[in-house]
Each structure stands twice: as structure tokens, then as C-alpha cells.
Amino acid sequence: MDYGLIKGMLGGYRSLVGVDGTHPKKNYGGILLLAITLDGNNEIFPLAYAVVSIENEENWSYFFWNLYNQLKDNGRNN
């Protein structure tokens, strides 16, 4: 998780967070997991990302666990 992205998100974001996984094109391997939100200008703000070898419940659970803990920890420090 990128602490700069988390701090920026907590500074002015919409309360909806979207998540998705995508398969990069060409010869890049893995799956890209993303969490995004909208900033104060209604533009896409990347919140968190991870590259995993396979999209499964274990990888998504780990991604959400890290996202939740970073938001919870940084929310207390503000």
C-alpha cells in the first residue's frame, strides 16, 4: 500500500470505493487488483493496487485485509 495514496484519499474523497481485477495485456503475467475512489474534482483516484499470480479468494482476502488496516491505521493518525 502506498501511504501517499492513503493520505491523499483521507484528505478529500467520496465515500465509495470501487475494486476490480484485470488481466494486463501482452506478455505481462499476473492479475492486477485495484481499489479506486473519486477525489474532490470527481476524478479517479487510485487508492491501492497489487499484482498477484492468480485471482482467487485468498488473494482478494489479503488485499482487502491490507486495505482495511491501512485505512484504519491512517484514519487514527489524522
Side-chain angles (χ1 to χ4, degrees):
M1 302 283 166
D2 189 336
Y3 293 110
L5 294 176
I6 299 291
K7 289 283 189 187
M9 191 272 310
L10 291 172
Y13 75 101
R14 305 290 191 248
S15 59
L16 179 67
V17 174
V19 293
D20 196 11
T22 185
H23 301 265
K25 300 285 185 188
K26 303 282 182 186
N27 53 357
Y28 301 106
I31 310 295
L32 180 63
L33 305 179
L34 300 163
I36 61 168
T37 188
L38 295 177
D39 65 9
N41 293 327
N42 284 331
E43 296 175 351
I44 293 175
F45 188 86
L47 185 56
Y49 56 90
V51 177
V52 295
S53 59
I54 187 169
E55 187 175 8
N56 60 15
E57 186 175 340
E58 182 181 355
N59 286 334
W60 274 112
S61 294
Y62 185 72
F63 181 76
F64 282 125
W65 181 83
N66 279 298
L67 177 62
Y68 172 77
N69 285 311
Q70 287 300 316
L71 292 175
K72 180 180 72 168
D73 293 343
N74 282 297
R76 263 189 277 159
N77 295 333
N78 287 337

